[in-house]
Amino acid sequence: MSDYKLLIGGELVEGDHVMDVINPATGVSFATVSRASVAQADEAVAAAKAAAPSWAATSLADRRAAMLALADAIAARADEIARVLTAEQGKPLAEAIGELAWTDGYLRHYCTLDLPDRIIQDDATGYIAVKHKPLGVVVGIIAWNFPLLVACWKIGPALLAGNTIVLKPAPTTPVTALLLGAICKDIFPPGVVNIIADANDLGAHLTAHPDVAKVGFTGSTATGKRIMATGADTLKRVTLELGGNDPAIVLEDVDVKKTAQAIFSNAFLNNGQVCLAIKRAYVHNDIYDAMCSELATLADAAIVDDGAKQGTQIGPIQNKAQYEKIQSFLETARRDGTIVAGGEVMERDGYFVRPTIVRDVTDGHRIVDEEQFGPILPVIRFDDIEDVIARANNSETGLGGSVWSNDIAKATEIAGRIESGQMWVNQHIAIGPHIPMAGFKGSGIGVEQSVEGFAEYTQLQVINVARV
Ligand code: NAD
């Protein structure tokens, strides 16, 4: 018997398989979860398909009421969910509580979104209306960095638009999602929400499934490409929120201490495991040494420990594979640059690496060119604006980025020239449910959040009536 079960067709069911979930702070299993077989994945899709017509026929008001009930039910179990989130994901409890607060805000905001019919013509000769219809069955597939928030980024808009969903969390963070399934069971009609866990073996099956109309995916660029290829045969709609290598460009006129703090917190939030974290800091030559030393001081002072312990600022890396990847980045960073803080794994159980600041590296070095998705920040020197813009844009991805300066007009002009979906000035990771989120180049296809993201969960239909 597993501790957490699958939600299929309105029932909590044992998986055909069981798997252990590792607490990354100890490296030891803390729970067992049900894991779905291919047959159970098919059952989940069949249940979502069977539920789709009646859910699509509900009113938006009824769907909003259900979504608000979900937000309330999550809030009622916030302490339990936050503790589980920390145990499986590793983030400090305060950040887990923050993820719950974010989730609440997103779900409630989605309930204010609407896509009313747009009437193009309504006169004696004719009537033309543009409608947004549900697509049918949506599959949501997500990464392991924000298991609750990103699950609700799929469930919220998909269901409010009148679709049903099969959600599949990442294999190393299934617990929060299955707990969410247990909550959804008592709120939505059977089959409207289905949540199944896997061992990284059901994604391709779900994204090729002929009864699935759309895939909402958050994860790596490599997997995003595979999903497009797998979904091509059935012309699936896709929204792909993928990786990034966000640059921060720091001009010479900033307050170094204050800016270092902001850069540090936006590079090391969730241990750097954030698609929109700062992953390359380009710092003007005039303040380069001072900025490196401020960042190193902050890194040295950070309290790195089990996220469940009070006072922890940075937890472990989420999983062993990522921990090993980060070690290989540390090796290349040591070779290519100068490590001024961190740089080593911690001698203890679990997957701990101290926050690492690397200076004297530049474009062409792996630590600068590739997304680390972990607690390492390369700091790169520049002294020419045109040159740094070209270097920031010399990337296969373009998710976010920021420009830091006291000259806001100049920073805003530079921001507009960076090829990234969200560019911030004197801030970073400033996102919200009312702000569309999209990526340039290899960072994705489509939009999430806001009314633009909501529209992606619908099929546009034109009704065109002749009246003469
Ligand atoms: P990943 O792509 O390896 O896995 C993500 C999910 O895809 C998992 O649930 C996995 O089981 C599933 N999957 C694996 N192979 C699949 C296939 N062939 N078909 C369908 N699904 C498949 O990514 P990850 O390592 O878990 O996450 C880290 C990456 O995610 C980083 O690159 C990060 O930038 C990106 N990310 C992006 C955003 C965003 O909103 N843009 C948010 C979080 C993470």
Side-chain angles (χ1 to χ4, degrees):
M1 287 277 283
S2 62
D3 301 326
Y4 297 91
K5 306 200 182 346
L6 314 174
L7 176 63
I8 300 177
E11 299 292 330
L12 294 178
V13 297
E14 277 295 332
D16 286 341
H17 314 285
V18 172
M19 68 180 181
D20 284 323
V21 184
I22 304 297
N23 178 338
T26 60
V28 173
S29 165
F30 77 99
T32 58
V33 296
S34 281
R35 190 190 126 202
S37 60
V38 171
Q40 287 179 310
D42 287 343
E43 282 170 28
V45 174
K49 185 182 176 188
S54 53
W55 183 248
T58 57
S59 69
L60 180 58
D62 285 349
R63 297 198 293 272
R64 282 178 177 162
M67 200 56 62
L68 292 173
L70 175 62
D72 289 342
I74 292 172
R77 291 175 73 173
D79 286 350
E80 174 195 1
I81 300 171
R83 265 195 296 277
V84 160
L85 189 50
T86 290
E88 75 170 345
Q89 205 283 333
K91 64 185 64 187
L93 197 53
E95 278 188 30
I97 291 166
E99 182 169 340
L100 272 136
W102 266 8
T103 304
D104 188 73
Y106 276 83
L107 285 179
R108 290 182 198 281
H109 182 82
Y110 293 149
C111 292
T112 68
L113 298 175
D114 195 3
L115 287 166
D117 292 356
R118 185 161 65 88
I119 310 301
I120 293 178
Q121 184 188 348
D122 187 8
D123 58 23
T125 60
Y127 170 83
I128 305 174
V130 180
K131 292 175 163 299
H132 289 272
K133 314 270 284 189
L135 286 157
V137 177
V138 169
V139 159
I141 297 183
I142 61 174
W144 39 259
N145 54 350
F146 291 92
L148 178 71
L149 178 67
V150 180
C152 290
W153 283 4
K154 312 301 179 205
I155 291 174
L159 263 56
L160 283 164
N163 306 289
T164 55
I165 193 166
V166 177
L167 181 90
K168 190 201 83 60
T172 55
T173 51
V175 178
T176 314
L178 295 181
L179 192 48
L180 185 63
I183 293 171
C184 286
K185 174 187 177 293
D186 297 329
I187 294 171
F188 296 98
V192 170
V193 181
N194 306 272
I195 302 188
I196 58 173
D198 76 339
N200 223 12
D201 56 343
L202 293 178
H205 182 75
L206 289 169
T207 57
H209 201 294
D211 291 334
V212 171
K214 180 189 167 90
V215 180
F217 174 71
T218 298
S220 65
T221 301
T223 305
K225 289 179 186 172
R226 275 183 223 121
I227 288 174
M228 279 198 85
T230 317
D233 255 1
T234 44
L235 285 180
K236 292 216 187 329
R237 278 65 178 149
V238 292
T239 301
L240 306 175
E241 295 291 344
L242 309 177
N245 195 12
D246 283 21
I249 299 174
V250 187
L251 306 192
E252 64 275 29
D253 63 353
V254 298
D255 175 330
V256 171
K257 208 177 172 77
K258 192 172 136 210
T259 307
Q261 260 157 6
I263 299 271
F264 185 82
S265 47
N266 284 293
F268 293 96
L269 176 73
N270 201 21
N271 219 347
Q273 302 166 127
V274 183
C275 53
L276 287 163
I278 295 174
K279 298 188 179 121
R280 310 176 268 165
Y282 289 94
V283 177
H284 192 278
N285 199 23
D286 290 357
I287 54 164
Y288 184 79
D289 290 336
M291 181 61 76
C292 289
S293 113
E294 278 298 333
L295 288 168
T297 303
L298 292 166
D300 285 340
I303 300 168
V304 183
D305 207 332
D306 184 337
K309 275 199 193 155
Q310 189 132 27
T312 295
Q313 290 168 315
I314 295 182
I317 311 251
Q318 199 280 316
N319 59 71
K320 191 153 181 267
Q322 190 64 15
Y323 177 61
E324 284 162 1
K325 190 170 160 199
I326 292 302
Q327 289 180 55
S328 107
F329 271 116
L330 288 177
E331 225 173 278
T332 56
R334 230 173 271 132
R335 196 184 58 219
D336 295 332
T338 312
I339 292 180
V340 289
E344 303 289 343
V345 302
M346 292 166 74
E347 291 300 321
R348 55 177 288 177
D349 290 338
Y351 312 136
F352 288 92
V353 173
R354 282 210 62 87
T356 298
I357 307 292
V358 192
R359 55 170 289 167
D360 307 326
V361 279
T362 191
D363 303 77
H365 289 145
R366 181 174 171 228
I367 197 70
V368 177
D369 291 355
E370 289 182 28
E371 180 190 40
Q372 316 93 14
F373 215 65
I376 312 178
L377 179 67
V379 189
I380 309 128
R381 196 189 289 271
F382 80 91
D383 57 10
D384 177 71
I385 285 290
E386 293 305 317
D387 175 53
V388 80
I389 291 172
R391 286 153 76 185
N393 285 337
N394 185 22
S395 169
E396 286 173 7
T397 56
L399 193 58
S402 50
V403 184
W404 303 76
S405 170
N406 277 331
D407 184 340
I408 290 183
K410 183 175 172 187
T412 307
E413 194 267 328
I414 295 169
R417 295 176 61 196
I418 306 299
E419 296 159 2
S420 289
Q422 23 278 308
M423 280 304 301
W424 296 289
V425 171
N426 294 334
Q427 57 181 354
H428 202 102
I429 321 187
I431 57 171
H434 56 304
I435 308 173
M437 181 170 143
F440 279 32
K441 303 186 273 189
S443 286
I445 289 187
V447 187
E448 279 200 311
Q449 316 310 346
S450 78
V451 77
E452 287 92 343
F454 190 40
E456 295 220 354
Y457 283 92
T458 66
Q459 171 67 53
L460 195 143
Q461 183 189 41
V462 174
I463 299 291
N464 193 334
V465 181
R467 282 179 175 158
V468 283

